[in-house]
Amino acid sequence: GAVVSQHPSWVICKSGTSVKIECRSLDFQATTMFWYRQFPKQSLMLMATSNEGSKATYEQGVEKDKFLINHASLTLSTLTVTSAHPEDSSFYICSAHQYGQGTYQPQHFGDGTRLSIL
Amino acid sequence: QQQVKQSPQSLIVQKGGIPIINCAYENTAFDYFPWYQQFPGKGPALLIAIRPDVSEKKEGRFTISFNKSAKQFSLHIMDSQPGDSATYFCAASSDSGTYKYIFGTGTRLKVLA
């Protein structure tokens, strides 16, 4: 149980393109989803917290107009990288916290999206 | 105060050895401490988690030891295997309702056959 699916797993696109990444909880409902960015051989950097039906909360230094987050249902959150540039190339990972569970429950992670901007 | 310090940065052990990874925190409001395993190109997978009301928790070959007074916790991998070669992250969160994690910097483990 507690499977999180992330799509696409890999995307290459030209500079200036907008890219949408989907994060779905397959067998549970998630009121809260998180988006992380990970550089090679580094830890996960939280970008934003996404709550179903409300605006995302962005971490300091993350451009909310560059990284648009939508959490329209209890099983789907999307991250759109707008007008992507080479410096946006990275590994993006989502996670989900199960609805109805308290603090002492883990986040379940997707398998990430490798984004390469040419 | 929000940091979680993880050590060592990398670790090499022989098959069957017991690698130990340590994490330390400052914020006494942290009350949930999970460990994740990450293989290259994959997302982190939960291994085991602990709350500060217990000092040790075992799940299979993985054990967490927790020292509340020292604000430290560690992961022990018993009878390590080459398949355990991965990056391990500790994390901490508090009962603030946001469910946010503070991650450690990660430990790259290599288990030699």
Side-chain angles (χ1 to χ4, degrees):
Chain A
V3 178
V4 175
S5 174
Q6 193 171 336
H7 179 80
S9 58
W10 186 39
V11 58
I12 301 175
C13 59
K14 294 181 178 180
S15 184
T17 305
S18 291
V19 179
K20 180 184 282 189
I21 302 170
E22 291 188 349
C23 180
R24 293 181 185 273
S25 55
L26 296 186
D27 51 1
F28 67 99
Q29 293 181 323
T31 44
T32 305
M33 289 184 171
F34 302 88
W35 288 94
Y36 295 85
R37 186 171 180 175
Q38 188 176 35
F39 292 103
K41 297 186 178 181
Q42 292 192 23
S43 189
L44 288 82
M45 181 187 75
L46 180 64
M47 298 174 65
T49 302
S50 166
N51 289 295
E52 186 266 338
S54 62
K55 290 184 178 180
T57 302
Y58 291 81
E59 296 298 303
Q60 191 173 9
V62 177
E63 298 178 61
K64 57 183 67 177
D65 293 332
K66 159 70 78 175
F67 300 101
L68 299 180
I69 291 171
N70 183 275
H71 192 160
S73 77
L74 286 173
T75 60
L76 174 65
S77 177
T78 60
L79 168 68
T80 301
V81 184
T82 62
S83 187
H85 292 284
E87 59 266 28
D88 299 322
S89 299
S90 193
F91 191 52
Y92 293 88
I93 311 173
C94 71
S95 72
H97 185 272
Q98 191 167 352
Y99 173 71
Q101 303 297 313
T103 299
Y104 309 118
Q105 294 296 325
Q107 292 180 26
H108 304 287
F109 286 82
D111 266 343
T113 296
R114 175 75 57 196
L115 176 61
S116 296
I117 309 298
L118 304 177
Chain B
Q1 195 173 16
Q2 281 291 89
Q3 282 187 326
V4 176
K5 295 181 180 180
Q6 184 171 345
S7 63
Q9 189 175 31
S10 62
L11 189 54
I12 301 175
V13 299
Q14 295 287 337
K15 178 183 174 183
I18 305 175
I20 300 172
I21 305 170
N22 301 297
C23 286
Y25 62 97
E26 291 292 327
N27 188 348
T28 54
F30 288 148
D31 56 4
Y32 182 71
F33 304 91
W35 283 91
Y36 285 83
Q37 178 190 57
Q38 186 180 29
F39 292 105
K42 296 291 186 181
L46 178 71
L47 280 176
I48 187 171
I50 198 168
R51 291 178 56 182
D53 51 351
V54 298
S55 60
E56 185 176 278
K57 183 175 180 180
K58 293 182 180 182
E59 284 190 9
R61 296 186 294 110
F62 302 98
T63 299
I64 299 179
S65 297
F66 188 87
N67 186 328
K68 187 175 181 177
S69 61
K71 291 182 284 186
Q72 295 176 349
F73 58 108
S74 59
L75 176 71
H76 302 230
I77 305 175
M78 306 301 176
D79 187 28
S80 60
Q81 301 296 314
D84 296 329
S85 297
T87 300
Y88 293 81
F89 293 98
C90 63
S93 69
S94 64
D95 187 16
S96 63
T98 66
Y99 314 121
K100 285 170 60 172
Y101 284 171
I102 305 297
F103 275 97
T105 50
T107 296
R108 287 190 299 281
L109 171 67
K110 186 176 178 73
V111 181
L112 302 175

